[in-house]
Amino acid sequence: MASKSLMYKVNGVPTLELVEKFNEDSNIFFRFQNPHQKLTSRSESWGMIYGSKQEAIKNDCEILPGKSCMDTLKGLDKWITYFDDDYVVLVFEGCDTGVTGHDGEYVATYYKKVAVWSMKDVVEFMQNNYWNE
């Protein structure tokens, strides 16, 4: 069986300086991402419990015009336990759609990748910088 190609390969680690820089930029967003699934400017979102857009539609789930994300790294904290080490944190340039996601998150149009961090590194960063506040 052929393996899926890797669309988002880890290319750095979160540092306080970098995270603060990204947090201050209104066009930078953070999201948990399956590294094998490519995003485009036409990417949409639906509830995390659905495996496909068609399944979400069949269950009357609203399809959102962009990707679920947060405008700060700390904003991801609420959902971190739902994702395992197979995922990455994708930092991307985009545009806030003004739509609120199913769980109160931002929804942004994806433009381009800025950084890709491993879940392990993000958890470690959160432990060292946010969880002990």
Side-chain angles (χ1 to χ4, degrees):
M1 176 181 210
S3 64
K4 292 181 183 178
S5 66
L6 196 59
M7 303 275 113
Y8 300 103
K9 184 177 178 183
V10 172
N11 63 6
V13 297
T15 64
L16 195 54
E17 180 180 282
L18 203 50
V19 169
E20 287 175 351
K21 175 185 164 197
F22 291 155
N23 284 346
E24 292 172 10
D25 188 328
S26 63
N27 295 314
I28 299 292
F29 299 90
F30 302 82
R31 69 174 269 108
F32 298 108
Q33 179 67 33
N34 177 334
H36 301 287
Q37 293 179 338
K38 184 176 182 177
L39 299 182
T40 71
S41 61
R42 295 185 312 267
S43 293
E44 299 170 310
S45 290
W46 46 86
M48 287 188 339
I49 63 170
Y50 302 109
S52 69
K53 180 179 178 178
Q54 293 72 24
E55 182 184 358
I57 290 170
K58 193 163 58 170
N59 287 283
D60 295 322
C61 176
E62 180 183 9
I63 305 303
L64 304 175
K67 294 310 291 179
S68 295
C69 57
M70 292 305 289
D71 65 338
T72 65
L73 181 62
K74 187 176 182 179
L76 292 180
D77 188 39
K78 180 176 174 181
W79 297 281
I80 202 162
T81 59
Y82 293 100
F83 298 91
D84 61 27
D85 287 345
D86 293 339
Y87 279 76
V88 296
V89 170
L90 174 64
V91 183
F92 70 94
E93 183 179 313
C95 180
D96 185 356
T97 63
V99 173
T100 299
H102 300 105
D103 296 310
E105 75 277 16
Y106 284 75
V107 176
T109 301
Y110 174 86
Y111 292 150
K112 69 179 183 178
K113 170 184 75 174
V114 174
V116 181
W117 299 329
S118 74
M119 287 293 290
K120 178 183 172 283
D121 289 337
V122 168
V123 167
E124 185 176 310
F125 180 87
M126 295 238 196
Q127 286 172 331
N128 292 334
N129 294 281
Y130 298 142
W131 294 345
N132 294 322
E133 291 180 345

PDB file of all heavy atoms in Angstrom, residues 4-26:
ATOM      1  N   LYS A   4       0.527   8.003   1.855  1.00  0.00           N
ATOM      2  CA  LYS A   4       0.091   9.320   1.418  1.00  0.00           C
ATOM      3  C   LYS A   4       1.280  10.255   1.437  1.00  0.00           C
ATOM      4  O   LYS A   4       2.140  10.171   2.302  1.00  0.00           O
ATOM      5  CB  LYS A   4      -0.970   9.877   2.369  1.00  0.00           C
ATOM      6  CG  LYS A   4      -2.275   9.156   2.356  1.00  0.00           C
ATOM      7  CD  LYS A   4      -3.203   9.856   3.332  1.00  0.00           C
ATOM      8  CE  LYS A   4      -4.521   9.167   3.455  1.00  0.00           C
ATOM      9  NZ  LYS A   4      -5.379   9.835   4.447  1.00  0.00           N
ATOM     10  N   SER A   5       1.305  11.177   0.481  1.00  0.00           N
ATOM     11  CA  SER A   5       2.431  12.108   0.479  1.00  0.00           C
ATOM     12  C   SER A   5       2.248  13.159   1.576  1.00  0.00           C
ATOM     13  O   SER A   5       1.134  13.526   1.937  1.00  0.00           O
ATOM     14  CB  SER A   5       2.586  12.766  -0.889  1.00  0.00           C
ATOM     15  OG  SER A   5       1.488  13.580  -1.164  1.00  0.00           O
ATOM     16  N   LEU A   6       3.349  13.597   2.087  1.00  0.00           N
ATOM     17  CA  LEU A   6       3.375  14.560   3.185  1.00  0.00           C
ATOM     18  C   LEU A   6       3.291  15.968   2.610  1.00  0.00           C
ATOM     19  O   LEU A   6       4.160  16.398   1.871  1.00  0.00           O
ATOM     20  CB  LEU A   6       4.671  14.379   3.980  1.00  0.00           C
ATOM     21  CG  LEU A   6       4.759  14.991   5.346  1.00  0.00           C
ATOM     22  CD1 LEU A   6       3.661  14.454   6.265  1.00  0.00           C
ATOM     23  CD2 LEU A   6       6.110  14.696   5.961  1.00  0.00           C
ATOM     24  N   MET A   7       2.217  16.681   2.929  1.00  0.00           N
ATOM     25  CA  MET A   7       2.008  18.039   2.425  1.00  0.00           C
ATOM     26  C   MET A   7       2.644  19.079   3.343  1.00  0.00           C
ATOM     27  O   MET A   7       3.058  20.134   2.885  1.00  0.00           O
ATOM     28  CB  MET A   7       0.509  18.344   2.321  1.00  0.00           C
ATOM     29  CG  MET A   7      -0.239  17.379   1.451  1.00  0.00           C
ATOM     30  SD  MET A   7      -0.133  17.851  -0.161  1.00  0.00           S
ATOM     31  CE  MET A   7       0.611  17.103  -1.279  1.00  0.00           C
ATOM     32  N   TYR A   8       2.656  18.785   4.648  1.00  0.00           N
ATOM     33  CA  TYR A   8       3.162  19.746   5.630  1.00  0.00           C
ATOM     34  C   TYR A   8       4.188  19.066   6.508  1.00  0.00           C
ATOM     35  O   TYR A   8       3.855  18.356   7.448  1.00  0.00           O
ATOM     36  CB  TYR A   8       2.008  20.330   6.451  1.00  0.00           C
ATOM     37  CG  TYR A   8       1.016  21.048   5.575  1.00  0.00           C
ATOM     38  CD1 TYR A   8      -0.191  20.458   5.240  1.00  0.00           C
ATOM     39  CD2 TYR A   8       1.316  22.302   5.049  1.00  0.00           C
ATOM     40  CE1 TYR A   8      -1.089  21.109   4.401  1.00  0.00           C
ATOM     41  CE2 TYR A   8       0.434  22.950   4.212  1.00  0.00           C
ATOM     42  CZ  TYR A   8      -0.775  22.354   3.894  1.00  0.00           C
ATOM     43  OH  TYR A   8      -1.653  22.994   3.059  1.00  0.00           O
ATOM     44  N   LYS A   9       5.448  19.296   6.173  1.00  0.00           N
ATOM     45  CA  LYS A   9       6.564  18.721   6.917  1.00  0.00           C
ATOM     46  C   LYS A   9       7.039  19.730   7.963  1.00  0.00           C
ATOM     47  O   LYS A   9       7.156  20.926   7.682  1.00  0.00           O
ATOM     48  CB  LYS A   9       7.707  18.407   5.942  1.00  0.00           C
ATOM     49  CG  LYS A   9       8.867  17.716   6.581  1.00  0.00           C
ATOM     50  CD  LYS A   9       9.924  17.380   5.551  1.00  0.00           C
ATOM     51  CE  LYS A   9      11.099  16.737   6.249  1.00  0.00           C
ATOM     52  NZ  LYS A   9      12.187  16.444   5.340  1.00  0.00           N
ATOM     53  N   VAL A  10       7.299  19.239   9.168  1.00  0.00           N
ATOM     54  CA  VAL A  10       7.784  20.095  10.251  1.00  0.00           C
ATOM     55  C   VAL A  10       9.027  20.837   9.767  1.00  0.00           C
ATOM     56  O   VAL A  10       9.951  20.230   9.229  1.00  0.00           O
ATOM     57  CB  VAL A  10       8.080  19.262  11.520  1.00  0.00           C
ATOM     58  CG1 VAL A  10       8.764  20.105  12.577  1.00  0.00           C
ATOM     59  CG2 VAL A  10       6.787  18.642  12.054  1.00  0.00           C
ATOM     60  N   ASN A  11       9.007  22.168   9.956  1.00  0.00           N
ATOM     61  CA  ASN A  11      10.129  22.974   9.463  1.00  0.00           C
ATOM     62  C   ASN A  11      10.662  23.954  10.504  1.00  0.00           C
ATOM     63  O   ASN A  11      11.331  24.918  10.166  1.00  0.00           O
ATOM     64  CB  ASN A  11       9.744  23.721   8.185  1.00  0.00           C
ATOM     65  CG  ASN A  11       8.619  24.717   8.394  1.00  0.00           C
ATOM     66  OD1 ASN A  11       8.167  24.960   9.514  1.00  0.00           O
ATOM     67  ND2 ASN A  11       8.146  25.293   7.304  1.00  0.00           N
ATOM     68  N   GLY A  12      10.350  23.700  11.771  1.00  0.00           N
ATOM     69  CA  GLY A  12      10.851  24.573  12.823  1.00  0.00           C
ATOM     70  C   GLY A  12      10.204  24.236  14.154  1.00  0.00           C
ATOM     71  O   GLY A  12       9.467  23.258  14.271  1.00  0.00           O
ATOM     72  N   VAL A  13      10.491  25.044  15.143  1.00  0.00           N
ATOM     73  CA  VAL A  13       9.920  24.873  16.483  1.00  0.00           C
ATOM     74  C   VAL A  13       9.391  26.227  16.954  1.00  0.00           C
ATOM     75  O   VAL A  13       9.922  27.281  16.581  1.00  0.00           O
ATOM     76  CB  VAL A  13      10.941  24.327  17.507  1.00  0.00           C
ATOM     77  CG1 VAL A  13      11.409  22.943  17.123  1.00  0.00           C
ATOM     78  CG2 VAL A  13      12.111  25.268  17.654  1.00  0.00           C
ATOM     79  N   PRO A  14       8.338  26.207  17.773  1.00  0.00           N
ATOM     80  CA  PRO A  14       7.837  27.474  18.291  1.00  0.00           C
ATOM     81  C   PRO A  14       8.804  28.061  19.324  1.00  0.00           C
ATOM     82  O   PRO A  14       9.306  27.343  20.180  1.00  0.00           O
ATOM     83  CB  PRO A  14       6.504  27.087  18.936  1.00  0.00           C
ATOM     84  CG  PRO A  14       6.616  25.629  19.233  1.00  0.00           C
ATOM     85  CD  PRO A  14       7.555  25.056  18.219  1.00  0.00           C
ATOM     86  N   THR A  15       9.089  29.324  19.178  1.00  0.00           N
ATOM     87  CA  THR A  15       9.865  30.059  20.175  1.00  0.00           C
ATOM     88  C   THR A  15       8.999  31.226  20.643  1.00  0.00           C
ATOM     89  O   THR A  15       8.083  31.648  19.925  1.00  0.00           O
ATOM     90  CB  THR A  15      11.170  30.624  19.579  1.00  0.00           C
ATOM     91  OG1 THR A  15      10.836  31.589  18.571  1.00  0.00           O
ATOM     92  CG2 THR A  15      12.040  29.516  18.994  1.00  0.00           C
ATOM     93  N   LEU A  16       9.282  31.741  21.819  1.00  0.00           N
ATOM     94  CA  LEU A  16       8.488  32.844  22.353  1.00  0.00           C
ATOM     95  C   LEU A  16       8.508  34.040  21.396  1.00  0.00           C
ATOM     96  O   LEU A  16       7.460  34.630  21.108  1.00  0.00           O
ATOM     97  CB  LEU A  16       8.997  33.241  23.740  1.00  0.00           C
ATOM     98  CG  LEU A  16       8.069  34.115  24.560  1.00  0.00           C
ATOM     99  CD1 LEU A  16       6.687  33.503  24.706  1.00  0.00           C
ATOM    100  CD2 LEU A  16       8.675  34.376  25.932  1.00  0.00           C
ATOM    101  N   GLU A  17       9.658  34.359  20.865  1.00  0.00           N
ATOM    102  CA  GLU A  17       9.785  35.496  19.942  1.00  0.00           C
ATOM    103  C   GLU A  17       8.938  35.286  18.680  1.00  0.00           C
ATOM    104  O   GLU A  17       8.225  36.180  18.240  1.00  0.00           O
ATOM    105  CB  GLU A  17      11.256  35.687  19.567  1.00  0.00           C
ATOM    106  CG  GLU A  17      11.504  36.834  18.611  1.00  0.00           C
ATOM    107  CD  GLU A  17      12.975  36.975  18.276  1.00  0.00           C
ATOM    108  OE1 GLU A  17      13.724  37.518  19.117  1.00  0.00           O
ATOM    109  OE2 GLU A  17      13.369  36.528  17.189  1.00  0.00           O
ATOM    110  N   LEU A  18       9.018  34.107  18.110  1.00  0.00           N
ATOM    111  CA  LEU A  18       8.275  33.787  16.890  1.00  0.00           C
ATOM    112  C   LEU A  18       6.766  33.763  17.147  1.00  0.00           C
ATOM    113  O   LEU A  18       5.990  34.340  16.380  1.00  0.00           O
ATOM    114  CB  LEU A  18       8.748  32.426  16.372  1.00  0.00           C
ATOM    115  CG  LEU A  18       8.566  32.084  14.919  1.00  0.00           C
ATOM    116  CD1 LEU A  18       9.092  33.181  14.005  1.00  0.00           C
ATOM    117  CD2 LEU A  18       9.280  30.764  14.623  1.00  0.00           C
ATOM    118  N   VAL A  19       6.359  33.130  18.238  1.00  0.00           N
ATOM    119  CA  VAL A  19       4.932  33.042  18.565  1.00  0.00           C
ATOM    120  C   VAL A  19       4.359  34.433  18.790  1.00  0.00           C
ATOM    121  O   VAL A  19       3.283  34.763  18.283  1.00  0.00           O
ATOM    122  CB  VAL A  19       4.694  32.120  19.782  1.00  0.00           C
ATOM    123  CG1 VAL A  19       3.259  32.233  20.282  1.00  0.00           C
ATOM    124  CG2 VAL A  19       5.008  30.668  19.414  1.00  0.00           C
ATOM    125  N   GLU A  20       5.076  35.276  19.523  1.00  0.00           N
ATOM    126  CA  GLU A  20       4.598  36.643  19.764  1.00  0.00           C
ATOM    127  C   GLU A  20       4.489  37.423  18.460  1.00  0.00           C
ATOM    128  O   GLU A  20       3.522  38.154  18.240  1.00  0.00           O
ATOM    129  CB  GLU A  20       5.506  37.359  20.758  1.00  0.00           C
ATOM    130  CG  GLU A  20       5.324  36.850  22.174  1.00  0.00           C
ATOM    131  CD  GLU A  20       6.307  37.453  23.176  1.00  0.00           C
ATOM    132  OE1 GLU A  20       7.273  38.151  22.763  1.00  0.00           O
ATOM    133  OE2 GLU A  20       6.116  37.214  24.380  1.00  0.00           O
ATOM    134  N   LYS A  21       5.458  37.248  17.570  1.00  0.00           N
ATOM    135  CA  LYS A  21       5.423  37.918  16.261  1.00  0.00           C
ATOM    136  C   LYS A  21       4.195  37.466  15.478  1.00  0.00           C
ATOM    137  O   LYS A  21       3.457  38.285  14.922  1.00  0.00           O
ATOM    138  CB  LYS A  21       6.699  37.600  15.486  1.00  0.00           C
ATOM    139  CG  LYS A  21       6.738  38.131  14.079  1.00  0.00           C
ATOM    140  CD  LYS A  21       7.985  37.671  13.347  1.00  0.00           C
ATOM    141  CE  LYS A  21       7.822  37.872  11.860  1.00  0.00           C
ATOM    142  NZ  LYS A  21       8.767  37.117  11.078  1.00  0.00           N
ATOM    143  N   PHE A  22       3.958  36.171  15.424  1.00  0.00           N
ATOM    144  CA  PHE A  22       2.801  35.643  14.696  1.00  0.00           C
ATOM    145  C   PHE A  22       1.490  36.074  15.349  1.00  0.00           C
ATOM    146  O   PHE A  22       0.526  36.411  14.664  1.00  0.00           O
ATOM    147  CB  PHE A  22       2.856  34.116  14.608  1.00  0.00           C
ATOM    148  CG  PHE A  22       3.958  33.578  13.728  1.00  0.00           C
ATOM    149  CD1 PHE A  22       4.456  32.298  13.942  1.00  0.00           C
ATOM    150  CD2 PHE A  22       4.501  34.317  12.687  1.00  0.00           C
ATOM    151  CE1 PHE A  22       5.452  31.773  13.138  1.00  0.00           C
ATOM    152  CE2 PHE A  22       5.507  33.800  11.870  1.00  0.00           C
ATOM    153  CZ  PHE A  22       5.983  32.529  12.100  1.00  0.00           C
ATOM    154  N   ASN A  23       1.435  36.038  16.682  1.00  0.00           N
ATOM    155  CA  ASN A  23       0.219  36.426  17.401  1.00  0.00           C
ATOM    156  C   ASN A  23      -0.193  37.869  17.090  1.00  0.00           C
ATOM    157  O   ASN A  23      -1.383  38.192  17.089  1.00  0.00           O
ATOM    158  CB  ASN A  23       0.405  36.301  18.917  1.00  0.00           C
ATOM    159  CG  ASN A  23       0.359  34.871  19.411  1.00  0.00           C
ATOM    160  OD1 ASN A  23      -0.050  33.958  18.707  1.00  0.00           O
ATOM    161  ND2 ASN A  23       0.803  34.678  20.634  1.00  0.00           N
ATOM    162  N   GLU A  24       0.773  38.730  16.856  1.00  0.00           N
ATOM    163  CA  GLU A  24       0.500  40.145  16.607  1.00  0.00           C
ATOM    164  C   GLU A  24       0.086  40.446  15.175  1.00  0.00           C
ATOM    165  O   GLU A  24      -0.407  41.527  14.882  1.00  0.00           O
ATOM    166  CB  GLU A  24       1.726  40.979  16.986  1.00  0.00           C
ATOM    167  CG  GLU A  24       1.997  40.980  18.479  1.00  0.00           C
ATOM    168  CD  GLU A  24       3.316  41.631  18.845  1.00  0.00           C
ATOM    169  OE1 GLU A  24       3.964  42.259  17.963  1.00  0.00           O
ATOM    170  OE2 GLU A  24       3.715  41.507  20.017  1.00  0.00           O
ATOM    171  N   ASP A  25       0.263  39.500  14.279  1.00  0.00           N
ATOM    172  CA  ASP A  25      -0.059  39.702  12.867  1.00  0.00           C
ATOM    173  C   ASP A  25      -1.496  39.249  12.610  1.00  0.00           C
ATOM    174  O   ASP A  25      -1.815  38.068  12.741  1.00  0.00           O
ATOM    175  CB  ASP A  25       0.927  38.903  12.005  1.00  0.00           C
ATOM    176  CG  ASP A  25       0.796  39.190  10.520  1.00  0.00           C
ATOM    177  OD1 ASP A  25      -0.323  39.480  10.053  1.00  0.00           O
ATOM    178  OD2 ASP A  25       1.820  39.105   9.820  1.00  0.00           O
ATOM    179  N   SER A  26      -2.360  40.168  12.217  1.00  0.00           N
ATOM    180  CA  SER A  26      -3.778  39.839  12.024  1.00  0.00           C
ATOM    181  C   SER A  26      -4.033  38.932  10.831  1.00  0.00           C
ATOM    182  O   SER A  26      -5.156  38.453  10.646  1.00  0.00           O
ATOM    183  CB  SER A  26      -4.606  41.122  11.889  1.00  0.00           C
ATOM    184  OG  SER A  26      -4.207  41.846  10.731  1.00  0.00           O
TER     185      SER A  26
END
